[in-house]
Amino acid sequence: MGELSEGLTQVLIPVAALIGIGFALLQWFLVSKVRVSAVADHNGRDNGHKSSLLGDAELENGVRVPEVTAKCAEIQHAISVGATSFLFTEYRYLTIFMGVFGVIIFLFLGSVKGFSTKSEPCTYNEGNLCKPALANAVFSTIAFLLGAITSVLSGFLGMKIATYANARTTLEARKGIGKAFVIAFRSGAVMGFLLAANGLLVLYVAINLFKLYYGDDWEGLYESITGYGLGGSSMALFGRVGGGIYTKAADVGADLVGKVEQNIPEDDPRNPAVIADNVGDNVGDIAGMGSDLFGSYAESSCAALFVASISSFGLNHDYTAMSYPLIISSMGIVVCMITTLFATDIFEIKYENQIEPSLKRQLLISTVLMTVGIAIVSFFALPSEFTLYNFGGSKVVKNWHLFFCVAIGLWAGLVIGYITEYFTSNAYSPVQDVADSCRTGAATNVIFGLALGYKSVIIPIFAIAVAIYVSFSLAAMYGIAVAALGMLSTIATGLAIDAYGPISDNAGGIAEMAGLRHEIRERTDALDAAGNTTAAIGKGFAIGSAALVSLALFGAYVSRAGIKTVNVMTPKVFIGLIVGAMLPYWFSAMTMKSVGSAALKMVEEVRRQFNTIPGLLEGTGKPDYANCVKISTDASLREMIPPGALVLLAPLIAGTLFGVETLAGVLAGSLVSGVQVAISASNTGGAWDNAKKYIEAGITEHAVSLGPKGSDAHKAAVIGDTVGDPLKDTSGPSLNILIKLMAVESLVFAPFFAAHGGLIFKLF
């Protein structure tokens, strides 16, 4: 068993991250070769394409080509400006939050030993001296800020790429579906690789900088690194909730007034909410999703590192074995690069029905290649036998055990992805049954959709259960942490197929607004329908990984808080359990109601414009887009605070007032119920959305019999889609952050809760 030397490990990890960043920049360069400026076309200069972007057709719907290109550029600019200004406003609020929460972390953790600067005896490695609790407070705060900044950056860069690529996808769609697919997919890959590589690089640098102070005290070092995960996820929470409320307020408002009342198409430029709707796709699905998956990634790495630091890896100071989670992520970046080439360069897409298989193939290829990658890493980076911390005892583990832990997490992710696809894609019977139920109106559509969502929970839960059982039996808590990492190891590919969805959605919107001919809109619709399914797959991954990550964090919390066993039969724990299980419902209620009230304002504004602006419906008056954007922005910033406060305060209150055992109950309860609610919500919403698209596309005889746009069945489908919007894009995806964030926050504050928690029980 050849083990990697420490020096080589120190080189390989940053090199893999830099290669990932380089690959992302290369993809971005290839996307940027598509020109979106009317001027170049006027001079008939060669843009790397035949004389103009169009190739043959010099007229587009009777409008000269430069005008069409200029129109696309103008719409793209409007979307980009809207998204950027929203994110900047949101980040202004979040900067204040970061400052305040950073101070809270410092005060709580510093007060554990009364702010003393004396060295303490170690918690786990008995007989050695560790750095003072005050140092832990300072470094946890720094790690928190680093994680928060990286998370915000991930979301922002993703949004920038997406708004850069949307019009380019529209323009490429004129040359054929294959070209448009490649542009949308490359742009998604830019985001995926930047995020995976940045997350890895910042974590690696942070560990090495903290080491300058901590030296041999690895226990303290990796305990303070957990702040990185907390920072990443707390930003993701606000990004997801704020972005989700923004996008759905606009979407619901635009749909209800535009499609149902005025009977105009989805992305019609006469609809005042149309720019807000397209901005929303970027701030919710792209920026929110980016921060969210970055948070998962940061936390699973932190959980694995923390558990390893109190095992033989940490006690023997085996740097390479300690860095096993980081080496897996490095391998993941390399594997995803090879996988991406299959979609962009090896297989060419010629027909619409090849899009979805190509995206699904991405998942399969990356999983198969990564399994080989994990085997190599486990063989070279780990000693052949070692002991892992197991709640006070220790467990002897062989290196191939860890290979199985990571691999089962990886394959469970694939199973969850494929099941999600089966339940949300309109190529299979579940969605077709939902579409069929629209014949008898919206009520049956809603009943069938809800039933589909609940049913779609069954297999993913079994997959997660098997992954948990196998990895825990093989390698205790560390096994679960690396299983979560396994699920997230192909994050670059997962994010690429996920970001692809909103980009093609935007491309369709731009095609409709710029008045491109019908067949181009059909191509972008085909791209978008596949994107809807991949977005659902991405959410499935996010939820599955969140379940494993928070279980690993829960284990780390239990050991850090010094709890020997969590006994459900004690009243302290049980009340925590039942209250924890209620939290996802409380949280969903808040987010759904926020979307509802924001959508109400949007509907009123859109109706007002249709009634008061002369010639709006005839296309002679111009709608006031900016006002709708402002409504969405104000609503989302105001409404994201209560749900965020609920998630962040619940563990603090439970731990401080009721103590570590009750908090353990709260974490277990929220994990168990949150996963179910999240999976069913996002699949129900996805199925309703695709049932509507199935009727609109009218590809099969069955779909044609349900009617063209505007038929009764179609109207029922639109209502289902509108109900599903907040489920699939606000509540569902934010719940996985609730599960992880409460667990990682409890872990970071565990020393404080163990020392000073449980005030109420101390009084009585």
Side-chain angles (χ1 to χ4, degrees), residues 330-347:
S330 313
M331 184 56 120
I333 291 176
V334 176
V335 163
C336 289
M337 275 168 54
I338 302 168
T339 310
T340 303
L341 297 176
F342 278 96
T344 54
D345 300 286
I346 298 175
F347 295 118

Side-chain angles (χ1 to χ4, degrees), residues 435-753:
D436 193 60
S437 70
C438 293
R439 288 174 195 281
T440 45
T444 41
N445 180 25
V446 170
I447 294 169
F448 271 71
L450 286 171
L452 175 144
Y454 297 147
K455 192 173 162 191
S456 70
V457 176
I458 303 169
I459 296 177
I461 291 295
F462 278 121
I464 293 172
V466 169
I468 289 171
Y469 186 78
V470 172
S471 50
F472 193 88
S473 327
L474 289 174
M477 265 309 163
Y478 188 67
I480 292 179
V482 292
L485 256 178
M487 202 179 273
L488 290 165
S489 58
T490 51
I491 184 174
T493 295
L495 259 170
I497 65 173
D498 202 49
Y500 155 87
I503 292 172
S504 24
D505 191 352
N506 260 213
I510 292 174
E512 180 80 45
M513 283 187 270
L516 280 100
R517 59 179 192 276
H518 184 61
E519 66 209 69
I520 293 184
R521 178 71 214 205
E522 279 185 349
R523 284 173 194 162
T524 53
D525 271 352
L527 290 172
D528 182 20
N532 248 344
T533 306
T534 57
I537 292 177
K539 288 174 191 135
F541 260 90
I543 295 164
S545 63
L548 290 176
V549 170
S550 60
L551 188 62
L553 289 165
F554 174 69
Y557 157 75
V558 168
S559 47
R560 184 64 192 86
I563 306 173
K564 288 286 173 278
T565 53
V566 179
N567 182 359
V568 184
M569 295 317 291
T570 54
K572 273 187 198 178
V573 177
F574 193 82
I575 57 168
L577 203 61
I578 200 161
V579 170
M582 174 274 297
L583 289 175
Y585 290 92
W586 190 358
F587 180 81
S588 298
M590 283 179 167
T591 49
M592 303 261 308
K593 198 154 184 286
S594 301
V595 172
S597 60
L600 196 68
K601 290 196 184 69
M602 187 66 81
V603 167
E604 283 166 357
E605 171 62 20
V606 175
R607 277 186 190 150
R608 183 191 69 76
Q609 291 197 26
F610 273 123
N611 294 333
T612 57
I613 297 178
L616 183 52
L617 260 180
E618 293 70 48
T620 50
K622 261 194 100 104
D624 179 2
Y625 296 130
N627 219 1
C628 290
V629 172
K630 187 177 180 311
I631 287 183
S632 257
T633 304
D634 293 349
S636 61
L637 292 174
R638 197 178 51 251
E639 303 278 3
M640 74 182 183
I641 295 166
L646 173 73
V647 178
L648 285 164
L649 292 176
L652 285 179
I653 292 171
T656 310
L657 296 182
F658 299 96
V660 284
E661 290 182 358
T662 307
L663 179 54
V666 170
L667 295 180
S670 66
L671 163 62
V672 167
S673 91
V675 174
Q676 332 286 337
V677 182
I679 296 178
S680 63
S682 46
N683 289 352
T684 293
W688 275 328
D689 196 346
N690 273 343
K692 175 202 70 176
K693 288 219 162 50
Y694 173 76
I695 295 177
E696 285 177 354
I699 294 170
T700 60
E701 280 180 26
H702 175 231
V704 174
S705 72
L706 290 169
K709 288 189 181 181
S711 68
D712 284 348
H714 178 248
K715 280 191 172 153
V718 170
I719 291 174
D721 173 36
T722 312
V723 175
D725 273 337
L727 286 172
K728 80 171 192 309
D729 288 324
T730 314
S731 297
S734 316
L735 277 173
N736 61 57
I737 306 180
L738 167 134
I739 305 169
K740 298 178 304 201
L741 185 54
M742 285 175 50
V744 74
E745 189 184 356
S746 306
L747 173 59
V748 170
F749 286 108
F752 173 79
F753 296 148

Side-chain angles (χ1 to χ4, degrees), residues 113-124:
K113 293 279 190 282
F115 297 99
S116 85
T117 48
K118 290 198 293 293
S119 290
E120 303 286 336
C122 296
T123 320
Y124 301 97

Side-chain angles (χ1 to χ4, degrees), residues 161-214:
I161 308 289
T163 51
Y164 182 80
N166 49 19
R168 287 172 166 77
T169 307
T170 310
L171 294 173
E172 285 287 278
R174 302 187 295 188
K175 293 196 216 145
I177 192 137
K179 293 264 200 306
F181 171 79
V182 169
I183 288 289
F185 189 82
R186 280 191 201 285
S187 325
V190 177
M191 177 183 178
F193 284 96
L194 274 183
L195 187 131
N198 276 343
L200 178 63
L201 195 60
V202 176
L203 185 56
Y204 169 80
V205 170
I207 289 174
N208 280 324
L209 288 178
F210 284 18
K211 208 178 241 138
L212 297 177
Y213 169 78
Y214 277 103

